[in-house]
Amino acid sequence: MAQPIQIALSGAAGRIGYSLVFRIAAGGLFGGGQPVALRLLESPGVGWDRLRAMEMELRDCAFPLMVDLCIGTNPVEVFKGSDWVVLLGSHAPREGIRRADLLRENAPIFADHGRAISEAAPTARIMVVANPCNANCLLAKSFAKNVPADRWFALNRVDRMRATWFLAEKAGVPVSKVTRMTVWGNHGERVYPDFRNAFIDGRPAPEVITDTAWVREQFEPAVSNRSREVLHLCGTSPAATAAQAILGTIRAITLPTPFDRRFGASVVSDGSYGVPQGLIFGFPLASEDGRNWKIIQGLYHDAYAQDRLAQNVAEIEHDMAIINDLLGNVRY
């Protein structure tokens, strides 16, 4: 049997965690031949009681691939030796809360988790999911001095999946026909879904969908506002979508990227496309070996696209200014 992959999740008993952990234990992340060891973190109180119940359910399922299960409330103990750490735990977005207030609520959590990862799992790869995930990722990274920059990822595949579905519906094709979809920047209302560089059924998207007004006035706002719509309808953020995006992103990072394809996540900028070095920013990515990744270069941006990227840079820098006011000088 292969060596188990150790996966730690913070906030594991929340809605996203519940949508995610059973799929991982069943082989839905690394496949049917790869054993996994789950390490689940939750805060004391109500969250801890839910996690204990989840532990019972996981054991009752008798998943053959789940060779170990650990739960706890201490991040250093739970993260220890992990290959992947998925940071779900935070104060959840709720209708009416200001972005700045959410950042202030969550900053201490991600500072603490960054320190714990640095101490307990410095070779892990980290996926930050809790929103605002770009800022939270940058914050945790700044407190994890022992973890290399290329190990940090913030989730933006949710936006990519939404953009793919909207383009497929508009073009009247299956979602599998929409390729090379990239979302740039911040996971939030200013995220830029790159219609111009996408392909539909092997053709550039602008050749298939020629309605520019639809792209600007309906497609882009629909992608950026979808989470808010779900939150308004049911009072909680979309958990199943996030779980699917997490699985897809980790699979893409750990497998070679097919020829002429790309995947996406927010990573530490190296200055590509004019994005300041050190910011956590959504880029198109590819991996040759499933271990190392690179930012795909050479995609064309007209003046509109350049302005959209600049808006995202400004938003992330504003988020970090709020965090600096709270915690002092957080370097990136």
Side-chain angles (χ1 to χ4, degrees):
M1 180 178 286
Q3 185 73 14
I5 296 175
Q6 296 200 51
I7 309 162
L9 288 82
S10 73
R15 292 180 67 249
I16 297 175
Y18 199 88
S19 297
L20 183 63
V21 294
F22 293 91
R23 296 176 68 180
I24 295 174
L29 178 53
F30 295 113
Q34 176 58 60
V36 295
L38 291 176
R39 310 183 64 84
L40 308 180
L41 177 72
E42 196 47 89
S43 56
V46 175
W48 177 247
D49 290 341
R50 289 199 304 262
L51 186 60
R52 291 179 60 210
M54 178 185 284
E55 178 192 26
M56 294 175 189
E57 287 198 76
L58 283 164
R59 296 192 187 281
D60 291 347
C61 286
F63 292 113
L65 292 173
M66 190 185 73
V67 298
D68 190 28
L69 174 61
C70 165
I71 69 171
T73 60
N74 184 317
V76 174
E77 293 176 359
V78 174
F79 294 163
K80 187 175 182 180
S82 295
D83 300 297
W84 274 95
V85 178
V86 181
L87 297 181
L88 306 172
S90 69
H91 295 284
R94 50 201 182 272
E95 196 162 10
I97 189 172
R98 297 189 311 157
R99 185 183 185 90
D101 292 334
L102 189 61
L103 281 164
R104 293 187 180 97
E105 286 182 1
N106 286 325
I109 296 173
F110 287 91
D112 184 49
H113 286 175
R115 295 186 193 99
I117 293 167
S118 187
E119 177 181 345
T123 62
R125 286 189 274 192
I126 304 98
M127 171 68 64
V128 180
V129 177
N131 285 316
C133 60
N134 290 53
N136 289 337
C137 184
L138 194 52
L139 175 61
K141 173 184 171 296
S142 70
F143 283 89
K145 305 303 183 183
N146 296 328
V147 183
D150 65 354
R151 301 254 165 186
W152 293 90
F153 306 90
L155 188 71
N156 71 7
R157 191 182 178 96
V158 171
D159 303 301
R160 180 181 181 271
M161 295 189 310
R162 290 169 178 155
T164 297
W165 185 86
F166 282 119
L167 291 186
E169 183 188 44
K170 179 70 172 178
V173 300
V175 292
S176 60
K177 297 295 184 180
V178 179
T179 58
R180 303 190 222 177
M181 185 67 226
T182 297
V183 293
W184 301 82
N186 204 13
H187 175 56
E189 294 182 9
R190 287 189 172 85
V191 66
Y192 175 48
D194 190 354
F195 167 78
R196 177 179 290 274
N197 284 301
F199 276 66
I200 300 174
D201 205 8
R203 298 167 58 197
E207 293 182 6
V208 180
I209 299 173
T210 58
D211 186 351
T212 304
W214 176 83
V215 173
R216 300 281 178 86
E217 298 170 12
Q218 297 185 51
F219 167 66
E220 293 180 7
V223 173
S224 62
N225 292 328
R226 191 68 149 195
S227 288
R228 177 180 289 183
E229 292 179 10
V230 174
L231 181 63
H232 175 72
L233 287 170
C234 66
T236 57
S237 298
T241 314
Q244 177 69 6
I246 293 163
L247 295 174
T249 303
I250 294 177
R251 279 196 294 262
I253 292 167
T254 54
L255 293 171
T257 306
F259 175 73
D260 206 25
R261 292 291 188 270
R262 63 190 63 143
F263 67 95
S266 292
V267 296
V268 179
S269 173
D270 61 0
S272 294
Y273 297 97
V275 177
Q277 289 188 4
L279 282 188
I280 303 289
F281 200 85
F283 288 105
L285 307 173
S287 175
E288 293 182 357
D289 56 9
R291 293 185 296 274
N292 304 291
W293 54 264
K294 64 180 180 181
I295 297 172
I296 293 175
Q297 302 294 328
L299 297 184
Y300 172 72
H301 289 149
D302 59 13
Y304 174 78
Q306 292 175 20
D307 180 63
R308 291 299 304 276
L309 265 64
Q311 291 176 25
N312 278 268
V313 168
E315 184 175 61
I316 298 170
E317 290 181 332
H318 180 260
D319 287 347
M320 293 311 298
I322 293 171
I323 291 170
N324 281 333
D325 286 343
L326 184 67
L327 297 181
N329 187 23
V330 178
R331 297 184 178 273
Y332 58 86

